Amino acid sequence: MSPLYLDNNATTQILPEVLEAMMPFLTEHYANASSGYRFARPPRRAVDAAREQVAALLGADPSEIIFTSGGTEADNTALASAALARPGRRGIVHSNVEHPAVDSFSKHLTENYGCSRTIIPVLPDGTLDLDKLHAALDPAHTAVLSLMWANNETGVFFPIPEAARLAASRGVYLHTDAVQAIGKAPVSVRDSGIHFLALSAHKFHGPKGAGALYASSQVRLRPHITGGAQENGRRGGTENVPGIVGLGKAAELARLRLESVEPQRLRSLRDRFENRLISALDGVAVNGHLELRLPNTSNLVFPGVDAPALLMLLDDAGICASGGSACHTGSVHPSPVLTAMGFSTERALSSVRFSLSCLTTEAEMDRAADAVVKAVTRLRGLRDQSSPVIRASPTPR
Ligand code: PLP
């Protein structure tokens, strides 16, 4: 039985069209895209075409797209570039629910490069505390404001266009980690005042190890990976041509999906799934704002249920879901995102994230809902009989 994959915020399946576009660059067109001879023209042209495809998705100019190894590198590059650009300004401001690609790198800049950081909280529904944001941006000291477009665990959106206007009024660079939003919600940098944006192909049906940084033509990018003169001197290293081609194709397909009924289809599948669980099981609730979230993400609390045990029973039923972000799988620590929203450890450890994709069908969601109802009923029954609770043992890390 093939798995029922509901962990699409961790990664997605490569679409056949993406693989097909990549194949020639894994086989006959293997030349180095930076070589001068004719044999290198197909890969060079393919890289240029991919740059246009990514720019079209974002409403950017192709010259503003720099290919990277993924979202983490794009986030690191943007932060380092913005935080170290102006000697008098070394302040970094970001939320307390950012991905480690931002959070741990800002800590690194603070500990090793003379930066300071201010971390702004979210409200219990996962939205940004805008009063705290206003107070945190210091026109004399803040270099960069970094906010994710949508959260990886709850799907909750931050108001990026508004934040960009506020940042601009204080001379602060705005970087957005849009890794989870791309392909699932409209994202445009056109006339937005956004300086930097990170994206990653494997989150929207492209290959792993390929991503991009948007760096506005208004800013001077400080390269983070230095080496050869690739990417117009902005990122050293031989171009990952198959990965870049796959990213470009995935971006083109994402743009077409966003113009179609796909976002509404996902939202109604997700809402139907949630409504079925809420009516069948006591106490089930959505973690995060009900409306201001990605249409594919459902983060639910099942009171009285040990999430790792629930995930284990779902795994037995062939269903992949997650108890936090992928990097935390196997750990029994409560999700830092849910605790940042003010939830108790108990609530965080009873929460599961289901994330859908354009490949998810209604029949699959019905099967998943039936399996969740069965598993939660079983776990609650065991608890009520005071039998030993089924606990998943954490995998040593
Ligand atoms: N930012 C967010 C919000 C993510 O969810 C992820 C991946 O989980 C990343 C950054 C890192 O992206 P990558 O896996 O391409 O390095």
Side-chain angles (χ1 to χ4, degrees):
M1 191 172 57
S2 60
L4 201 177
Y5 187 74
L6 293 179
D7 201 15
N8 288 282
N9 286 6
T11 197
T12 55
Q13 188 176 0
I14 289 198
L15 289 174
E17 299 93 316
V18 172
L19 183 61
E20 200 187 323
M22 292 170 68
M23 279 311 274
F25 300 93
L26 288 160
T27 52
E28 75 253 44
H29 297 310
Y30 57 84
N32 187 320
S34 296
S35 296
Y37 34 74
R38 282 181 203 165
F39 182 49
R41 280 184 199 160
R44 165 54 47 205
R45 286 200 195 110
V47 168
D48 291 344
R51 208 181 300 284
E52 284 176 17
Q53 287 164 315
V54 174
L57 176 67
L58 299 177
D61 189 86
S63 63
E64 297 174 307
I65 305 299
I66 298 125
F67 292 119
T68 65
S69 63
T72 301
E73 184 192 321
D75 278 329
N76 284 200
T77 306
L79 279 184
S81 191
L84 305 177
R86 297 170 286 180
R89 283 182 180 247
R90 285 284 153 97
I92 303 169
V93 176
H94 62 75
S95 82
N96 62 351
V97 294
E98 296 300 315
H99 189 272
V102 165
D103 181 59
S104 93
F105 193 68
S106 85
K107 185 163 176 274
H108 169 72
L109 290 173
T110 304
E111 289 170 355
N112 300 294
Y113 289 87
C115 295
S116 62
R117 63 175 184 164
T118 307
I119 299 182
I120 40 179
V122 292
L123 300 170
D125 64 3
T127 59
L128 199 63
D129 186 331
L130 291 172
D131 291 339
K132 296 270 172 27
L133 171 63
H134 277 262
L137 295 184
D138 174 352
H141 180 67
T142 309
V144 56
L145 168 63
S146 181
L147 292 173
M148 62 208 317
W149 198 293
N151 186 268
N152 42 310
E153 293 194 32
T154 60
V156 172
F157 292 121
F158 282 164
I160 300 304
E162 290 88 324
R165 281 194 288 277
L166 177 66
S169 72
R170 304 201 182 169
V172 170
Y173 289 129
L174 188 284
H175 165 56
T176 181
D177 174 347
V179 166
Q180 288 294 341
I182 296 290
K184 301 170 190 160
V187 169
S188 174
V189 295
R190 187 167 289 141
D191 301 325
S192 66
I194 294 169
H195 297 101
F196 300 98
L197 177 148
L199 61 85
S200 177
H202 75 101
K203 304 288 187 180
F204 55 101
H205 303 284
K208 293 167 184 62
L213 172 65
Y214 158 81
S216 157
S217 56
Q218 307 301 311
V219 295
R220 236 189 88 224
L221 183 81
R222 200 176 165 276
H224 184 54
I225 308 262
T226 50
Q230 293 91 351
E231 295 298 284
N232 224 348
R234 293 174 298 177
R235 198 265 187 186
T238 301
E239 296 91 337
N240 167 13
V241 179
I244 290 170
V245 169
L247 165 60
K249 189 67 189 176
E252 181 188 299
L253 296 172
R255 186 169 58 77
L256 297 175
R257 274 200 307 280
L258 287 168
E259 287 166 4
S260 75
V261 293
E262 179 57 16
Q264 288 100 292
R265 187 194 74 95
L266 275 181
R267 184 175 296 108
S268 66
L269 274 192
R270 191 265 320 265
D271 291 352
R272 181 182 142 103
F273 171 74
E274 288 183 345
N275 289 334
R276 282 194 60 184
L277 297 183
I278 289 167
S279 54
L281 297 164
D282 284 345
V284 176
V286 173
N287 293 321
H289 197 288
L290 281 181
E291 302 299 327
L292 297 175
R293 61 181 167 140
L294 293 170
N296 81 317
T297 305
S298 178
N299 194 314
L300 298 173
V301 57
F302 301 91
V305 169
D306 180 46
L310 175 55
L311 289 170
M312 199 176 69
L313 292 183
L314 292 178
D315 192 18
D316 288 345
I319 296 170
C320 308
S322 154
S325 64
C327 353
H328 301 131
T329 301
S331 142
V332 284
H333 297 297
S335 144
V337 171
L338 297 184
T339 47
M341 288 161 68
F343 295 152
S344 63
T345 301
E346 195 189 350
R347 177 166 178 158
L349 289 176
S350 297
S351 296
V352 171
R353 177 188 73 184
F354 302 90
S355 46
L356 292 64
S357 85
C358 62
L359 299 170
T360 311
T361 65
E362 188 174 299
E364 284 180 323
M365 290 315 287
D366 286 347
R367 193 182 125 206
D370 289 343
V372 174
V373 171
K374 197 169 151 204
V376 169
T377 307
R378 181 168 166 215
L379 291 169
R380 285 184 174 164
L382 289 172
R383 180 201 58 186
D384 294 345
Q385 291 160 19
S386 338
S387 323
V389 175
I390 299 185
R391 275 193 192 283
S393 50
T395 318
R397 302 202 314 145

